[in-house]
Amino acid sequence: MSAGHATPPGPRKGEPRRRRGDRTGFTTGANAAAAATAATLGLVLGRVPQRVDCLLPNGRRAVFTICDGRVDGDLAHAVSIKDAGDDPDATNGAHLPADVRRIAGGGAEILLHGGAGVGVVTRPGLGLAVGAAAINPVPRRNITENVRAAGEPLLALGDGLEVTLSVPGGAAMALKTLNARLGILGGISILGTTGIVRPYSTAAFRASLVQAVRVAAAQGETTLVFTTGGRTEQAAMGAFPDVAEVCFVQMGDFVKAAFTAAVRHRMQQVIVGAMVGKLTKIAQGLPVTHAWRASLDRDLIAEVAAEVGAPPDLVAQIRTAATARFAAERLAAIGLAAALHQALARRAMASLRRLYPGPHRLSVLACDFDGQPIATVAEDD
């Protein structure tokens, strides 16, 4: 799918049909940014445009179709409808409205709120303040950046802009997710670190993963760097600058598919880059780390926390926490972040060696939530 179209056109007559399962889409964050941008332009222009061009978090631009646009004095409303592509996403087809209010004398400030259908954070460990709307940091920055660009004429006058995002039916959609278990109540989360939804949960993604390994092998490469996403891949590229770009493969949640392919092609070195949650699930020995497949082993991460010196009361809290992030943040606060990540990385490495024996030397790069390397372990350390 071209990044320039919110709804990709179908194949032209005479062209082969697109392979089922490979069509990308847009994240809730990208759609929310589009709606907020359109509503802001409504205040600037006096009318809401039917299409808007937005910057995505990955630096690319995309054009989105807008509906239900209207301006009423200092308030503008616009809606973007999410197309998740071929990803089995509970929010596919969701209407994502944005209401933008011009605040006279607002000091050029942009305020971002969650309305009905956007979840509220009720537990620590998610990287968001308790009580805040579940608008993740990357889409929050991206929405603000697009609104600032669109609303520059108003902000230059010293006025402010108040953006409220909502999701009709969001509370019902959230029942199909793990939000409640994570302590996000009342609606869905506004997510997306790149703006693009790739069909990570489909057979097509597994096939593309295996193909990527095959391509590296065909070029004579004997090293692979598997990462769980874009941020860990960037961290790994920085940590291993001498490794050819073709060797970096995003395995997503598909640990078994990745390692089976690496062993089949007799790779000599395999490096895995992951954050604390995926590290824990890899240490559990899960072949697929997606949240729907299996839950986090809280006893395991609590045991590791105790091993690196966490006090007993904190270990008890970690044992009942909803996320591995809770453990990482709390241990970071007492100076044990590197120790926790190193210990988890060693357990993950041991699990991978046991499950996927082969000629390869294993290394694990543990990253923090900003995608920065925090610990690296290797089998011969």
Side-chain angles (χ1 to χ4, degrees):
M1 180 195 68
S2 167
H5 298 278
T7 304
R12 294 188 180 92
K13 186 175 181 180
E15 290 183 341
R17 291 185 63 83
R18 185 190 300 271
R19 287 191 302 113
R20 184 178 180 184
D22 65 355
R23 189 171 66 88
T24 58
F26 291 98
T27 62
T28 50
N31 285 104
T37 300
T40 302
L41 288 171
L43 293 176
V44 172
L45 305 173
R47 59 176 179 80
V48 174
Q50 295 182 344
R51 290 166 67 83
V52 291
D53 182 291
C54 287
L55 178 69
L56 300 177
N58 66 3
R60 297 167 63 189
R61 301 195 70 87
V63 175
F64 293 80
T65 300
I66 300 298
C67 61
D68 197 22
R70 57 183 183 270
V71 180
D72 182 9
D74 287 337
L75 181 66
H77 177 85
V79 177
S80 177
I81 301 175
K82 178 172 176 176
D83 176 6
D86 289 326
D87 195 60
D89 191 315
T91 61
N92 186 46
H95 286 59
L96 293 157
D99 292 283
V100 180
R101 184 182 300 277
R102 180 179 181 179
I103 304 173
E109 186 176 7
I110 298 173
L111 305 174
L112 182 58
H113 305 300
V118 176
V120 175
V121 177
T122 66
R123 297 180 191 170
L126 294 166
L128 296 168
V130 172
I135 305 171
N136 275 21
V138 171
R140 183 178 289 272
R141 288 194 297 270
N142 180 246
I143 293 164
T144 301
E145 185 176 8
N146 278 285
V147 168
R148 187 173 299 282
E152 192 278 334
L154 305 181
L155 298 171
L157 297 174
D159 291 344
L161 295 170
E162 182 181 49
V163 181
T164 302
L165 307 175
S166 55
V167 185
M173 293 175 202
L175 298 177
K176 302 176 183 178
T177 73
L178 294 177
N179 273 13
R181 185 184 301 176
L182 299 176
I184 300 171
L185 304 181
I188 65 167
S189 304
I190 305 300
L191 303 170
T193 57
T194 65
I196 300 293
V197 172
R198 302 191 183 280
Y200 278 36
S201 301
T202 67
F205 181 77
R206 287 193 296 272
S208 67
L209 158 63
V210 172
Q211 185 178 46
V213 174
R214 188 183 305 126
V215 168
Q219 295 188 29
E221 299 292 348
T222 59
T223 295
L224 287 174
V225 184
F226 289 131
T227 59
T228 54
R231 282 180 291 173
T232 49
E233 183 175 74
Q234 289 300 312
M237 285 180 169
F240 303 99
D242 296 332
V243 177
E245 186 176 13
V246 72
C247 300
F248 290 85
V249 179
Q250 289 190 31
M251 67 177 178
D253 292 304
F254 298 107
V255 179
K256 181 178 180 179
F259 271 82
T260 300
V263 172
R264 181 184 305 123
H265 290 282
R266 307 289 295 175
M267 289 292 158
Q268 298 303 302
Q269 181 173 15
V270 179
I271 302 165
V272 174
M275 297 182 191
V276 64
K278 298 297 186 187
L279 274 179
T280 304
K281 290 194 169 186
I282 293 171
Q284 291 172 225
L286 299 178
V288 179
T289 60
H290 194 280
W292 282 106
R293 291 297 187 94
S295 60
L296 186 79
D297 187 339
R298 302 172 187 178
D299 289 334
L300 186 153
I301 196 166
E303 181 181 311
V304 173
E307 176 186 307
V308 301
D313 60 336
L314 178 53
V315 172
Q317 292 176 41
I318 290 170
R319 203 177 298 278
T320 60
T323 67
R325 183 169 191 147
F326 176 85
E329 290 180 345
R330 294 298 299 273
L331 265 68
I334 57 175
L336 293 175
L340 174 72
H341 283 78
Q342 188 173 60
L344 274 175
R346 290 194 179 283
R347 291 199 179 211
M349 191 166 61
S351 176
L352 292 170
R353 171 55 64 199
R354 175 176 56 83
L355 292 169
Y356 311 108
H360 53 276
R361 170 180 178 265
L362 268 172
S363 300
V364 176
L365 170 69
C367 302
D368 65 18
F369 300 110
D370 293 321
Q372 298 301 312
I374 193 168
T376 303
V377 300
E379 285 186 311
D380 55 3
D381 287 348

